[in-house]
Amino acid sequence: MSILRGKNILLGITAGIAAYKSASIVRLFVKAGANVKVILTPAAKDFITPLTLSTLSKNPVISSFTQDTDDNAVWNNHVDLGLWADLFLIAPATANTLSKMASGRSDNFLVATYLSAKCPVYFAPAMDLDMYKHPTTKASLETLQSFGNILIPATSGELASGLVGEGRMAEPEAIVSHIESHILKELSLFGKTILVTAGPTYEAIDPVRFIGNHSSGLMGFEIANKAAQLGAEVIYITGPTHYSSNHSRITTIPVVSAQEMYTQVHAHFQSVDVAILSAAVADYKPKHVATSKIKKAETTLSLELEKTKDILASLGKIKSHQILVGFALETNDEVDNAIKKLKFKNLDLIVLNSLNDKGAGFGGTSNKVTFIDKNLAQTAFPLKSKADVATDIMNELLKQINA
Ligand code: CTP
């Protein structure tokens, strides 16, 4: 899944021959799951039609301050459009438009929207080589970058004039990946690897039966998603659940039993910065697993159970640089029990949920938690969606990482 998914993207197209490639840019943004609106300068319509762009973007294309309906002129609001955008790309950006952007000369809808936009602005110049080299163009590029706008440099190659040199607009794929990696690098967890365990484990009794629990895996799934959205590489080790992610930064490792989860967690722990163990791991498993289906015979059946390995505690014993986060699900003496677990398992943070709180714990989509950190500082949160609890966990992690 692209980092651009769900983003509102404004694409400004100016009057250069490279405008024909802007259709591909729209297509790539839409494919990445973004919402796209296009602004054309009036002269750009000589190079590409609004119909092509409105069809690809599935939105009306704007090229002037007003649009004529049957009897009335309707005002196109550049301020609203500028605020709607999560990012603004101007591609191709001609020397003329670059100079207007740099000097604030808003004599068309595109530049007026540029001046109103509060979002990150990317621009991909396209022009002949001598225009690209000209001191006024160089000055515009520098001025725009000093405003915080992001240059996607032109490349070298054959130009529309027949000359060969620097000035070709970067290719659509390169423009889109430039934007994606720029966004990613700005994210707060970029460069961090986070291991997340989620869901229940199933402990086999025989080939068709198991001991399990009611964990849905949603809490861990939301944590994995939130970490990936913030730019982390996520190793998501999950017991059997209905949740699956196609996020490109989440590597999913499905497991079934506590022993499989233990093995996978230990295979990755040394390479991660943070481990968040939210799985509801079975504490006991059958001592002997029948190799064929157990037939009903007697009126009672006894199973001998033995302890599983405590994955979280085993990490607490070997952790070096990692931040270790555990969960505690309690029914009584909640805070005291959670503090005991925090200390015994050598954690940096424990997320306590009490089964006495309505809406907390297994099953539902909400949770009510209290954080206890290694200095025993407590923060109690109100009932929230599990997605919002995941955000709170990420904020706490960022505090610890940046401390
Ligand atoms: N956990 C684990 N491996 C286990 C059992 C638990 O990694 N075999 C982790 C869970 O993922 C959770 C934390 O330990 O982060 C606390 O689990 P919990 O069941 O509340 O506590 P336990 O230590 O198992 O103790 P008890 O069941 O007695 O409360």
Side-chain angles (χ1 to χ4, degrees):
M1 193 167 76
S2 165
I3 200 90
L4 297 176
R5 188 184 176 84
K7 292 235 184 290
N8 292 338
I9 301 182
L10 209 48
L11 173 61
I13 302 176
T14 70
I17 182 62
Y20 81 93
K21 292 186 183 172
S22 303
S24 299
I25 300 177
V26 175
R27 187 72 204 109
L28 290 169
F29 281 152
V30 169
K31 245 172 96 180
N35 310 307
V36 185
K37 292 187 181 176
V38 178
I39 303 173
L40 281 174
T41 59
K45 287 198 272 187
D46 292 335
F47 292 91
I48 186 160
T49 72
L51 184 61
T52 305
L53 297 162
S54 61
T55 308
L56 289 173
S57 67
K58 304 183 183 78
N59 274 312
V61 170
I62 303 176
S63 62
S64 66
F65 286 97
T66 56
Q67 48 180 296
D68 290 327
T69 59
D70 289 344
D71 319 295
N72 299 307
V74 177
W75 171 250
N76 287 320
N77 192 329
H78 58 92
V79 178
D80 280 355
L81 203 54
L83 295 178
W84 170 84
D86 295 316
L87 71 94
F88 191 3
L89 166 67
I90 296 139
T94 58
N96 183 35
T97 294
L98 291 175
S99 130
K100 285 183 194 178
M101 287 160 63
S103 64
R105 195 163 155 244
S106 57
D107 65 349
N108 66 34
F109 189 79
L110 192 154
V111 186
T113 309
Y114 164 73
L115 292 178
S116 306
K118 290 188 174 152
C119 60
V121 176
Y122 299 80
F123 60 102
M127 64 199 73
D128 209 50
L129 76 166
D130 292 318
M131 295 172 81
Y132 198 55
K133 271 194 228 145
H134 197 280
T136 57
T137 307
K138 294 279 173 228
S140 299
L141 297 183
E142 270 163 32
T143 306
L144 291 174
Q145 289 182 93
S146 77
F147 296 161
N149 299 165
I150 302 118
L151 166 68
I152 303 174
T155 59
S156 276
E158 194 180 332
L159 301 164
S161 60
L163 297 172
V164 175
E166 211 177 9
R168 266 166 76 109
M169 185 175 82
E171 290 302 321
E173 288 77 8
I175 290 177
V176 173
S177 66
H178 190 111
I179 294 171
E180 284 174 332
S181 47
H182 183 265
I183 294 175
L184 212 52
K185 282 188 197 132
E186 299 281 296
L187 293 174
S188 47
L189 286 175
F190 180 75
K192 301 286 175 211
T193 304
I194 299 189
L195 183 154
V196 180
T197 68
T201 62
Y202 288 175
E203 309 305 324
I205 298 171
D206 69 14
V208 294
R209 302 183 181 92
F210 59 82
I211 298 173
N213 62 63
H214 289 300
S215 166
S216 66
L218 179 59
M219 192 63 248
F221 179 70
E222 296 290 9
I223 292 169
N225 275 326
K226 196 56 74 180
Q229 281 163 20
L230 292 175
E233 281 292 345
V234 179
I235 300 166
Y236 172 55
I237 301 172
T238 176
T241 75
H242 295 297
Y243 298 104
S244 67
S245 170
N246 60 357
H247 198 295
S248 58
R249 304 187 74 72
I250 299 180
T251 304
T252 301
I253 302 174
V255 296
V256 176
S257 66
Q259 180 56 45
E260 282 172 22
M261 189 173 274
Y262 178 94
T263 305
Q264 287 299 334
V265 167
H266 277 270
H268 293 92
F269 185 62
Q270 289 308 336
S271 65
V272 305
D273 301 289
V274 179
I276 306 174
L277 273 63
S278 72
V281 186
D283 288 327
Y284 289 90
K285 63 179 181 179
K287 188 162 184 189
H288 304 287
V289 181
T291 50
S292 54
K293 190 179 165 208
I294 300 171
K295 289 293 194 187
K296 58 177 174 295
E298 309 301 322
T299 43
T300 60
L301 172 71
S302 296
L303 287 174
E304 193 182 353
L305 303 179
E306 65 180 359
K307 263 192 178 168
T308 56
K309 290 179 193 152
D310 189 321
I311 306 169
L312 186 58
S314 69
L315 297 184
K317 287 196 183 106
I318 59 167
K319 78 168 181 174
S320 49
H321 60 284
Q322 298 91 341
I323 293 177
L324 190 55
V325 182
F327 275 69
L329 180 62
E330 304 293 341
T331 53
N332 54 290
D333 302 324
E334 292 94 333
V335 170
D336 282 352
N337 282 331
I339 290 175
K340 272 185 208 142
K341 279 180 195 169
L342 175 91
K343 288 182 176 165
F344 173 68
K345 300 192 187 190
N346 191 21
L347 309 181
D348 298 286
L349 178 72
I350 194 154
V351 180
L352 162 66
N353 29 206
S354 164
L355 270 187
N356 295 326
D357 286 325
K358 231 175 142 249
F362 278 9
T365 55
S366 60
N367 210 352
K368 186 170 183 311
V369 301
T370 300
F371 290 173
I372 306 173
D373 71 17
K374 58 175 179 262
N375 303 318
L376 306 188
Q378 294 178 32
T379 317
F381 294 88
L383 186 71
K384 292 184 176 195
S385 70
K386 286 183 174 170
D388 287 345
V389 173
T391 304
D392 291 334
I393 293 172
M394 292 305 128
N395 289 338
E396 175 63 29
L397 270 186
L398 283 166
K399 250 201 289 176
Q400 294 205 14
I401 288 170
N402 299 321

